[in-house]
Each structure stands twice: as structure tokens, then as C-alpha cells.
Amino acid sequence: MMLRRRLTLAAPFAALALAGCGVNAIPTAEENAKAKWADVQNQYQRRADLIPNLVSTVKGYAAHEQSTLTAVVDARAKATQVTVTGDDISNPDKMKQFQDAQNQLTGALGKLLAVNEAYPDLKADQNFLALQSQLEGTENRIAVARSDYNAAVQAYNTRIRTFPDSITAKVVYGAKPITPFTATSPNAETAPTVKF
Amino acid sequence: MSSLPVMRAHAGISGGWRGARPTETPAFAGVTEWLWGLALALLTLLASPAQALIFPAFTGLVVDQANILPADRKAALEQKLEAFQQKTGRQLVVATVNSLEGDDIQDYGYQLGRSWGVGLKGANNGTILLIAPNERKMGIETGPGIQGLLTDAYTGVIINSKIRPAFKAGDLPGGIDAGVDAIIEILSMPDDQAHAKEAAAVAAWDKQNKRSSGGGVPGALIFWLIVIAWVVFAGFLRRARHGQRYGGSNWPIWLWAADSIINSRSSGSGWGGGSSWSSGGSSDSSGGGWMGGGFTGGGGGSFDGGGSSGSW
């Protein structure tokens, strides 16, 4: 009788003690990181969606820049093939593959945008100007989404590696650290510069 | 990134500590090490991502830190912006800053918008016209909620055709006026989907605003009250049956519970969680809610880096 009452009394505190060890907080932080990752992918997708229009506009003015145009089209095709779902974000290899593909597209795009300097007609084309500013905004969004994602990853990784949540992370969830975004290639951090 | 200096401090301090007490037993050293680890882990948790940038205070819809607007133009502009918010529920802010602190204007702009909470939480319908006269840079930052109307391309058009010509001629107030007029014009157009979302966000803001001035009851507080009541009640029962044997033994639990309440409130979890209310918007400043006219402060809106920028 005595023991039972004690157990009844202990139950809420056991629940609270568990809550203090991150039983709720760890999945919350993980879901947050996944949501931020979805934002990152959305913004990259948005960039990929802008490219066909950009390519056809540039083609109209600078048809003999064929190699630059092909490079962009190829890089886009490759980049859209590599998708990383929310469950894959703790897989460093997949993340690296994704980043490499996107970085390659960033580089190819930068070359394509640099081409416009040589074609005054292209530079004055309203459609091109509009695409250019959409692309500029999208590169900015990618940068913001990436830094938001990294902040969420840092919060999650810190949580699962510090006491007392580290115990819950290991015992209950078997949590693995999530891979943050890194600037791997030298020019990865610099978006194609768009000058007016 | 902020953990690196902390880790260095860790090595330095624990080294010094051990050096000062050479007679320490290994077991004790292990405990101290563990305690240091715990303390530093807590420190790392407290050290939020370094806020590298310092922003001016959000004092009104026109924040003229760089002092490029004459008083009468500033007042007229403020009136125009307040009327715009009253009419549409969207928030447009003009900010001039002394320095971008070496940052890119677009990067500075979105962080400024988030720090001020321009626009409404959920609807994210804020816009900032940001001018850095010393760097000769201007930018339009748009919240995700209005980008359907005020597209990146259109912000580029506004900067190129309305603002830059006036700025190049040295007429900063004129350029700002022209830019603001163009933004207000496009954002006053109907956009049913955006409006529905905004109406909901306005209602939420007004409700929350009222509640915070009247003193609401946080969910976490209720929860902990129930827990405490349970413990007290059970304690009474026990005491009635077994005399004073366990008298006073509940104190640590109460302290713990009280501490949890304080923590849960200060970290912003639970009730009203996470809205950036630190950004301003004292609850009784206007009395008429988000669209009641006057300066409301920010509504917790967010920014995603959309918009465009340029220089002159």
C-alpha cells in the first residue's frame, strides 16, 4: 500500500525528469533541422526552375556561347538529380554529393552571367534583367536558408552531445549528428555577382 | 563557432586548476573535470549564435539613423507609412543606417528585419527600404508573404527606375519618397490569398497584444500549479495518516518546480512561444491593434533574403 502510493507520487516526477533529459527536446530539435533543410532544398529548386528561362533568353543574344550554356544545362540536370530527404541529412556522403552538385551549378551560372558583359543587347533586355534580379534574390534566399539550417543543426548537435540530453540521445534515440553545410569548393560561398 | 574560444578557455582553466593542486587524487580530478565539462556545456548552450551586427533601435516606421531626412519630410513619410499599415495590414519600414558594418546590404537587411520583427508573424508581410548613405548602397528587403506582389524583379525595377536616378542627383529624400510610393502602390493592389493570411495574422496579433497587456495565464504555469497542488495534497493526506514523519521534505521539489517555471517562461517555450516580442510594440502604444494607426512596433515577421539591392 505504502509502496504503491509512493510509486504514484513518483510517476509525475519520473515523467518530468525524463522531459528534462530531452525526451521531447531532441525530436523537436531534429524536426526543426529537417524543416530548415526542406527550406534549403526549396530555394535550390527555385533556382533550378529559373534556369531554363535564363538559358533561352541568353541563347537569343549569345548563341555562340554554346559551351557555357551547355555547362549550365548539364550542371542543372545533375543538381536536380541529387535530392537529400530529411532522413538523409545525417549522412555526410549524401550531403557532400548534394553540395558538390549545387556548387558546380553555382560556378556554371556565374560564368553564364559574366557573359552578358560582352552583349550590350542582352544586358538591356527586360526579360534578362528580370531573370537576373530573380536569380539574385534566389541566391540570397539560398544563403539565408543555409545559415538557418546550420543554426538548427548546431542546436541539435549541441543538444545531443551535452549532458544530460546526451544520455537520452544515445539510449533512447541512438541519435546521430546532422551534417551542416560547409563551403567545400573555394568559390562556393560567393554567389554569382549580379551587377546592374 | 562560438564554442571554440570556450573550449580554449576550458583547456586553460583546467590546466591551471590541476597545476595548483598537484596532490589531487585521480578520482577527484575526474570529478572536477566532469564538473568543468558540465559548466562549459551549459555555457555553450547559453552562448547563442553570436549576434555580430548591432542594429539601431526600432523607434518608428522611419528610422533615420544616418540623418538624411529633414524633420518635416520624415514626419510626412511616417504618416504615409502608418496610413499604409492601417489600410492594408502590411508593414513598410524605411531605415537609414550609418554603417553596414562591413556586411553585404542584403545580408544586413534580412537580419535587421528579423531582429525588428517587421511585418506580422506567420504572414511575414514586412518590407524594408534600407539605405546606407555612407556606403552608397540601397536595398529592398521583402518578407516571403508579399513576394507574390512585390517580386524580386519588381524591387529591382523600383531601385533602378525610381530610387537610383534621384539618389544619383543627390536628392536622397526625393528618392526615398519615390521608392516608398512605388512600393505602396504595388502592395495596395488586391491579392486575395495574401489578404486572407494577413487577416488571420492581424487577428492573432491583436489578440495576443490584448492578452499580454491584461496578463494572461501561461500554460506552463497551470501545469506546474497542478503538479504542486498534487504534491501538497498528497503530503497532507500522508501527514494526516502518519503524523509529522515526512514534514518539510517537499521543499526541494517545490524549489525545483519553481525553478522550472521560471526557466520555461524565460526561454519562451509554451505560451506565445518564440514570437520576437523583444523587438518593440509595447502593448498599449496604439490601443487600436495592428491596423489601428500609429506605430505598433514589429509584429514578429520574418525575412528570407528576398528582394534586391543596388548602389549609386
Side-chain angles (χ1 to χ4, degrees):
Chain A
M1 192 60 192
M2 188 74 184
L3 183 72
R4 229 190 91 199
R5 197 177 303 123
R6 273 202 190 160
L7 276 178
T8 333
L9 272 177
F13 295 112
L16 290 170
L18 278 175
C21 290
V23 164
N24 291 326
I26 292 171
T28 308
E30 190 182 359
E31 287 308 316
N32 185 33
K34 281 184 186 172
K36 296 283 153 71
W37 173 251
D39 286 347
V40 172
Q41 279 209 311
N42 278 343
Q43 300 305 351
Y44 274 119
Q45 183 59 45
R46 183 186 180 126
R47 177 171 81 168
D49 291 345
L50 285 171
I51 289 173
N53 257 334
L54 182 74
V55 167
S56 65
T57 306
V58 174
K59 230 182 216 165
Y61 291 94
H64 55 272
E65 300 283 350
Q66 200 57 49
S67 63
T68 322
L69 288 166
T70 318
V72 171
V73 173
D74 288 351
R76 177 185 180 271
K78 252 182 223 139
T80 45
Q81 268 167 18
V82 184
T83 50
V84 175
T85 62
D87 296 326
D88 291 334
I89 53 178
S90 48
N91 182 342
D93 293 335
K94 270 219 148 167
M95 290 293 282
K96 190 175 178 316
Q97 228 180 326
F98 179 85
Q99 288 181 40
D100 287 348
Q102 295 295 350
N103 288 342
Q104 202 166 2
L105 178 55
T106 306
L109 260 180
K111 271 183 205 141
L112 179 66
L113 287 172
V115 156
N116 80 66
E117 295 297 328
Y119 301 87
D121 289 347
L122 173 63
K123 258 173 97 174
D125 183 274
Q126 284 305 313
N127 197 15
F128 180 73
L129 284 176
L131 282 167
Q132 228 181 0
S133 42
Q134 297 284 22
L135 201 59
E136 185 201 10
T138 303
E139 292 291 354
N140 286 327
R141 285 191 192 88
I142 290 173
V144 173
R146 280 190 351 185
S147 80
D148 285 353
Y149 168 72
N150 275 354
V153 169
Q154 194 198 358
Y156 173 79
N157 286 350
T158 308
R159 190 172 273 286
I160 65 166
R161 291 176 64 178
T162 48
F163 186 83
D165 292 17
S166 55
I167 297 169
T168 317
K170 236 178 228 154
V171 175
V172 182
Y173 296 112
K176 274 197 285 181
I178 296 176
T179 322
F181 246 99
T182 43
T184 40
S185 73
N187 292 321
E189 276 301 299
T190 42
T193 37
V194 180
K195 289 211 169 73
F196 294 104
Chain B
M1 46 184 152
S2 60
S3 65
L4 194 61
V6 174
M7 292 314 286
R8 275 203 204 117
H10 176 194
I13 292 168
S14 61
W17 178 256
R18 272 204 214 135
R21 297 191 173 196
T23 52
E24 228 169 24
T25 60
F28 187 60
V31 171
T32 18
E33 193 79 339
W34 185 83
L35 279 175
W36 273 115
L38 179 64
L40 288 160
L42 287 174
L43 269 180
T44 323
L45 279 179
L46 286 175
S48 49
Q51 192 79 40
L53 301 166
I54 299 158
F55 301 115
F58 191 23
T59 50
L61 292 179
V62 179
V63 177
D64 188 19
Q65 191 197 33
N67 218 3
I68 56 173
L69 289 165
D72 56 327
R73 301 283 293 258
K74 188 183 167 199
L77 195 57
E78 244 162 10
Q79 242 171 16
K80 200 190 283 178
L81 297 176
E82 279 169 13
F84 167 70
Q85 183 176 337
Q86 201 174 350
K87 194 175 141 229
T88 63
R90 294 165 178 165
Q91 195 169 47
L92 170 60
V93 175
V94 174
T96 72
V97 293
N98 282 326
S99 160
L100 297 173
E101 299 176 34
D103 200 2
D104 174 64
I105 185 161
Q106 212 64 34
D107 191 62
Y108 183 95
Y110 95 85
Q111 293 188 53
L112 176 74
R114 285 187 180 182
S115 143
W116 283 356
V118 175
L120 282 169
K121 188 178 162 69
N124 297 324
N125 57 353
T127 310
I128 303 173
L129 175 57
L130 176 63
I131 323 279
N134 295 322
E135 280 107 334
R136 297 180 78 86
K137 291 252 164 67
M138 76 287 241
I140 298 176
E141 284 292 330
T142 55
I146 50 146
Q147 284 166 3
L149 279 174
L150 187 58
T151 59
D152 296 351
Y154 198 70
T155 57
V157 169
I158 292 174
I159 284 179
N160 287 324
S161 65
K162 309 273 181 190
I163 304 178
R164 183 179 289 124
F167 277 18
K168 272 204 164 141
D171 181 13
L172 295 181
I176 291 174
D177 269 343
V180 163
D181 287 345
I183 294 171
I184 287 180
E185 191 201 343
I186 186 89
L187 286 185
S188 298
M189 287 178 180
D191 175 7
D192 293 341
Q193 225 181 344
H195 273 310
K197 218 173 175 186
E198 271 158 11
V202 166
W205 190 88
D206 288 350
K207 205 172 148 201
Q208 190 182 29
N209 219 21
K210 212 181 280 165
R211 202 198 265 178
S212 65
S213 65
V217 183
L221 187 61
I222 296 173
F223 173 75
W224 283 106
L225 281 176
I226 291 171
V227 170
I228 290 170
W230 188 356
V231 172
V232 171
F233 183 67
F236 267 123
L237 267 184
R238 206 164 42 185
R239 221 169 284 180
R241 291 189 192 174
H242 304 284
Q244 291 288 326
R245 238 184 324 159
Y246 297 101
S249 65
N250 284 333
W251 270 111
I253 293 165
W254 290 349
L255 287 177
W256 178 45
D259 181 54
S260 296
I261 292 173
I262 291 162
N263 280 338
S264 73
R265 294 194 73 178
S266 64
S267 68
S269 72
W271 178 58
S275 76
S276 35
W277 268 108
S278 55
S279 59
S282 79
S283 53
D284 51 358
S285 63
S286 65
W290 181 255
M291 292 171 73
F295 177 55
T296 55
S302 187
F303 288 80
D304 69 347
S308 58
S309 58
S311 53
W312 78 92

